[in-house]
């Protein structure tokens, strides 16, 4: 038997902290202490959602012990290792906080920096991302690839952040409930959410060396990130109407083919020359066929997107806020419409 994901209607408390955990037994105790101290100082009503992503060490028992001690902790144990993005997605599904903060369990981020992130958030942003200063990781394997990835992601998505990879980030409840994650997409949430029209800011945060254990990732992650980036760019630009992209390419290619064909026809009719052996004729035919293919691919893609949006009740718009009175007093007079 499996437990279905929890679905939450609206925020019920001020803050949720979401932490993915995979084999972090040596960090849990310290994480609990540092986080609890910080959150106590921040002084808002909070919950911590720890997702045990199929750990094979003592993390299971240790998290259960923390939960038994502190009712503000909510533990989700996965059946197996589904990856950090899945863990974050489970945390987002369960989160009840008006603001949802994500962070790693390895204490590479200082929990005290949550206060900085929340201060920035209060200025009216929907997403606030940490920007790690003075990075402790290896230059060639981590920092240079990460710098290049950040530039690339910023340029191709239009959301300029120095540090997409920093997991200390805060999101509004609406953002968390709207984004759908898979693959390694958690680092792209600010870019994905840009579709909703979010306001994004970043704040400098400390970077510390991993306290215990080692990183779960190697260099191969860089390739996954690049592949994900391609998907994200596609999702962002052409998601709701793929026909526009394929259709434009189809018109362009097919148009050139038709012009070439017309030219050859006129040429053939007006002069005595044969056109049967001209490479241009083959090119014209090829381009016309390609044009038709582009357009039909676009129509098929458009129909797939339609099914996607309609079956999942995905909105094609996002509302920042709504103002409407719940009850209208029928007896009241219509107010004077003149503005002073
Ligand atoms: N993590 C996870 N599932 C995984 C891999 C990692 O939940 O399959 C968690 C891990 O326990 C940590 C966070 O994701 O809390 C970030 O992992 P890590 O520190 O290894 O990544 P790095 O900081 O090296 O990018
Ligand atoms: Mg780490």
């Amino acid at each position: 038997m499996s437990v279905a994901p929890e679905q939450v209607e609206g925020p019920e408390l001020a803050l949720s902290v979401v932490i993915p955990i995979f084999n972090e037994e040596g960090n849990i105790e310290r994480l609990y202490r540092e986080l609890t101290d910080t959150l106590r100082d921040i002084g808002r009503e909070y919950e911590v959602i720890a997702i045990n992503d199929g750990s094979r060490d003592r993390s299971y028992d240790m998290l259960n012990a923390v939960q038994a001690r502190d009712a503000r902790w909510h533990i989700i144990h996965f059946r197996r290792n589904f990856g950090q993005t899945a863990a974050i997605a489970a945390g987002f599904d369960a989160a009840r906080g008006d603001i949802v903060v994500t962070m790693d369990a390895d204490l590479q981020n200082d929990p005290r920096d949550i206060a900085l992130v929340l201060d920035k958030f209060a200025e009216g942003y929907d997403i606030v991302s940490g920007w790690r200063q003075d990075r402790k990781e290896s230059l060639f394997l981590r920092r240079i690839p990460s710098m290049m990835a950040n530039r690339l992601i910023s340029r191709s998505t239009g959301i300029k952040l120095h540090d997409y990879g920093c997991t200390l980030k805060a999101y509004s409840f609406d953002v968390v409930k709207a984004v759908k994650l898979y693959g390694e997409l958690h680092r792209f949430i600010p870019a994905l959410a840009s579709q909703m029209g979010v306001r994004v800011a970043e704040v400098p945060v400390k970077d510390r060396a991993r306290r215990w254990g080692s990183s779960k990732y190697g260099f191969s992650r860089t390739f996954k990130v690049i592949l994900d980036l391609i998907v994200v760019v596609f999702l962002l630009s052409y998601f709701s109407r793929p026909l526009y992209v394929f259709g434009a390419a189809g018109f362009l290619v097919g148009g050139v083919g038709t012009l070439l064909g017309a030219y050859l026809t006129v040429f053939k009719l007006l002069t005595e020359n044969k056109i049967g052996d001209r490479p241009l004729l083959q090119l014209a035919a090829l381009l016309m066929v390609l044009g038709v293919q582009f357009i039909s691919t676009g129509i098929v893609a458009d129909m797939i997107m339609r099914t996607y949006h309609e079956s999942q009740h995905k909105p094609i718009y996002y509302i920042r806020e709504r103002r409407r009175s719940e009850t209208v007093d029928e007896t009241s007079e219509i107010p004077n419409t003149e503005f002073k």
Side-chain angles (χ1 to χ4, degrees):
M1 197 198 78
S2 287
V3 186
E6 241 175 295
Q7 293 300 336
V8 180
E9 290 282 315
E12 289 163 17
L13 33 82
L15 186 65
S16 297
V17 181
V18 169
I19 310 176
I21 293 177
F22 180 52
N23 296 342
E24 305 280 7
E25 59 178 8
N27 289 319
I28 291 173
E29 198 50 50
R30 187 175 189 139
L31 173 72
Y32 177 72
R33 265 186 289 119
E34 288 198 21
L35 195 59
T36 307
D37 286 349
T38 311
L39 293 171
R40 188 192 308 120
D41 292 349
I42 290 175
R44 303 192 198 180
E45 202 190 346
Y46 70 88
E47 64 178 354
V48 176
I49 305 174
I51 301 91
N52 171 16
D53 184 15
S55 301
R56 287 180 279 270
D57 63 357
R58 290 190 304 126
S59 299
Y60 178 87
D61 296 324
M62 299 188 64
L63 285 170
N64 287 347
V66 167
Q67 204 279 326
R69 209 171 351 150
D70 189 336
R72 286 166 301 200
W73 280 59
H74 170 175
I75 317 290
I76 298 173
H77 293 291
F78 276 180
R79 287 178 170 271
R80 63 168 174 87
N81 179 251
F82 286 98
Q84 194 182 346
T85 300
I88 290 175
F92 282 0
D93 285 342
R96 294 177 299 147
D98 194 27
I99 303 177
V100 181
V101 171
T102 53
M103 66 179 275
D104 288 349
D106 56 10
L107 294 168
Q108 279 180 276
N109 288 123
D110 184 344
R112 301 227 150 258
D113 287 336
I114 293 178
L116 296 179
V117 171
L118 292 181
D119 285 347
K120 191 79 193 171
F121 204 94
E123 290 174 21
Y125 292 99
D126 303 292
I127 298 180
V128 175
S129 172
W131 172 14
R132 290 167 290 179
Q133 309 288 312
D134 185 19
R135 295 271 299 267
K136 301 288 181 297
E137 290 164 322
S138 96
L139 184 65
F140 286 103
L141 286 181
R142 280 294 174 88
R143 274 147 60 195
I144 291 182
S146 133
M147 197 184 74
M148 294 190 318
N150 286 317
R151 292 253 172 99
L152 200 65
I153 303 170
S154 296
R155 179 169 300 186
S156 34
T157 62
I159 297 286
K160 297 199 170 32
L161 287 183
H162 292 91
D163 195 1
Y164 269 91
C166 179
T167 20
L168 178 59
K169 289 190 167 75
Y171 308 93
S172 67
F173 184 85
D174 293 347
V175 168
V176 152
K177 299 297 173 186
V179 290
K180 290 277 167 274
L181 302 175
Y182 42 87
E184 287 284 312
L185 283 187
H186 67 268
R187 69 184 55 241
F188 293 106
I189 300 173
L192 288 173
S194 68
Q195 229 185 357
M196 298 171 62
V198 290
R199 288 164 295 199
V200 184
E202 45 184 3
V203 278
V205 297
K206 284 191 276 302
D207 189 41
R208 313 193 290 190
R210 204 178 217 283
R211 291 283 146 148
W212 175 94
S214 52
S215 171
K216 311 290 179 291
Y217 301 101
F219 188 67
S220 66
R221 177 166 66 181
T222 313
F223 297 104
K224 292 192 189 157
V225 169
I226 291 174
L227 290 175
D228 277 335
L229 175 64
I230 297 175
V231 175
V232 169
V233 170
F234 185 80
L235 287 183
L236 285 182
S237 353
Y238 317 121
F239 199 47
S240 54
R241 291 313 303 274
L243 179 58
Y244 293 161
V245 189
F246 288 105
F251 276 126
L252 189 75
V253 172
V256 173
T258 312
L259 284 180
L260 289 178
Y263 162 73
L264 288 174
T265 312
V266 172
F267 187 75
K268 155 97 176 131
L269 294 180
L270 294 189
T271 67
E272 291 298 299
N273 292 310
K274 291 210 175 84
I275 58 165
D277 54 352
R278 293 191 61 170
L280 205 56
L281 181 67
Q282 291 171 26
L283 184 66
L286 180 75
L287 291 182
M288 283 190 272
V289 173
L290 263 184
V292 173
Q293 274 187 345
F294 267 129
I295 293 173
S296 35
T297 310
I299 293 173
V300 173
D302 220 71
M303 281 157 63
I304 295 176
M305 280 336 295
R306 203 161 289 233
T307 328
Y308 170 79
H309 279 281
E310 283 172 16
S311 64
Q312 303 200 12
H313 302 289
K314 291 272 289 182
I316 55 168
Y317 59 85
Y318 297 92
I319 297 171
R320 185 174 326 279
E321 59 175 312
R322 207 192 271 281
R323 283 170 196 249
R324 183 163 83 182
S325 306
E326 284 306 318
T327 52
V328 178
D329 184 359
E330 297 290 345
T331 58
S332 70
E333 281 178 20
I334 294 172
N336 190 350
T337 49
E338 247 173 69
F339 278 96
K340 291 193 188 79

